[in-house]
Amino acid sequence: MRVLLLGGTGEARALAKALHPRVDIISSLAGRVPDPALPVGPTRIGGFGGVKGLTQWLQDNGIDAVVDATHPFAATMTAHAAQACGEAKLPLLVLARPAWDPGAATVVASDKKAAETVQRQGYSRVFLTTGRSGLNAFQYSDAWFLIRAVTEPDTEALPPSYQLLLSRGPYHYDDELVLLKEHRIDALVTKNSGGDMTRGKLDAAAALDIPVVMVARPPLPTGVTTVGTVEEAVDWIAGLD
């Protein structure tokens, strides 16, 4: 059995490790992050050229099943995988880590809505952890932002007043607590990515009574099979034999 694993997450790397070498698995990374953490086994880097390109690649490479373990906000890739697997008549599994309980956070539907909430609430010093793709929503904000990202964003997308912090998780509670205090943060803006690697900022914000604006996850394509753990994904693949 040949399995395409759409990856780039810790869960994808753990799944590749759990399956290698008994399953012929090919991991695929988008290629947006320089020097990415690579999984065990064969890896391809780069896009497929949309649904048509992915469908053709699946057929040309004799793929028997696809596991989508991309980031919960990689909605375009997930939609393309669902459509391509439907056209190629291949089984598809989405491995999506459980979302965080938003608790008292203000939950919004998009980066744009998050920016509007920051402006409306009058927050002045914001810890912004939504990633590069959503920064342009904040480019006209009056607030000062501490922007954390893995790679440097385009300068045209940045707000007028900010400090850029380039780093890669995991992030721990004690360090996040210090960061929020040092920068006198009065609001945290984040996406509901789930998982433990970046959970510390939420716990630190709660300890300091700092309000959180949380962007909700995009909906998954209708009808896809989903699991929340690597172990469940291993069992699903075993059941295809």
Side-chain angles (χ1 to χ4, degrees):
M1 175 178 292
R2 298 198 87 195
V3 177
L4 173 65
L5 172 56
L6 302 172
T9 61
E11 290 82 6
R13 291 189 293 274
L15 180 57
K17 183 177 180 180
L19 295 173
H20 183 79
R22 29 188 203 89
V23 176
D24 183 6
I25 190 161
I26 303 172
S27 295
S28 178
L29 307 182
R32 296 192 183 97
V33 177
D35 190 28
L38 295 176
V40 298
T43 304
R44 69 174 300 280
I45 297 178
F48 291 95
V51 174
K52 183 178 180 180
L54 176 55
T55 305
Q56 189 64 53
W57 191 94
L58 294 172
Q59 295 169 342
D60 291 346
N61 288 272
I63 299 299
D64 299 302
V66 177
V67 177
D68 177 2
T70 56
H71 191 276
F73 282 82
T76 299
M77 186 68 251
T78 297
H80 285 182
Q83 189 173 342
C85 285
E87 294 180 6
K89 296 180 171 53
L90 295 178
L92 168 67
L93 177 73
V94 175
L95 170 54
R97 70 182 77 127
W100 292 317
D101 179 354
T106 299
V107 178
V108 296
S110 65
D111 294 307
K112 181 181 178 182
K113 292 296 183 182
E116 291 172 357
T117 301
V118 167
Q119 196 76 359
R120 184 172 61 252
Q121 296 296 333
Y123 298 134
S124 60
R125 298 185 65 83
V126 179
F127 187 25
L128 182 57
T129 66
T130 54
R132 291 185 307 163
S133 61
L135 291 179
N136 58 352
F138 299 87
Q139 61 183 320
Y140 302 113
S141 177
D142 296 330
W144 176 90
F145 293 90
L146 176 63
I147 300 172
R148 185 162 68 192
V150 176
T151 57
E152 193 156 353
D154 296 332
T155 54
E156 307 86 59
L158 295 172
S161 184
Y162 69 92
Q163 178 179 331
L164 190 60
L165 178 60
L166 298 180
S167 67
R168 182 180 297 176
Y171 303 108
H172 304 291
Y173 170 79
D174 291 341
D175 298 325
E176 299 288 68
L177 198 67
V178 170
L179 191 69
L180 294 174
K181 287 179 178 178
E182 283 185 348
H183 292 279
R184 308 189 313 280
I185 298 299
D186 65 4
L188 165 65
V189 178
T190 188
K191 291 181 175 179
N192 195 337
S193 300
D196 296 328
M197 285 187 63
T198 60
R199 164 103 208 163
K201 61 191 174 188
L202 294 175
D203 295 332
L208 298 173
D209 201 26
I210 293 173
V212 176
V213 180
M214 184 177 291
V215 181
R217 291 184 179 188
L220 291 171
T222 303
V224 298
T225 301
T226 64
V227 295
T229 68
V230 170
E231 293 76 17
E232 289 173 306
V234 170
D235 290 343
W236 181 85
I237 291 171
L240 298 175
D241 289 339

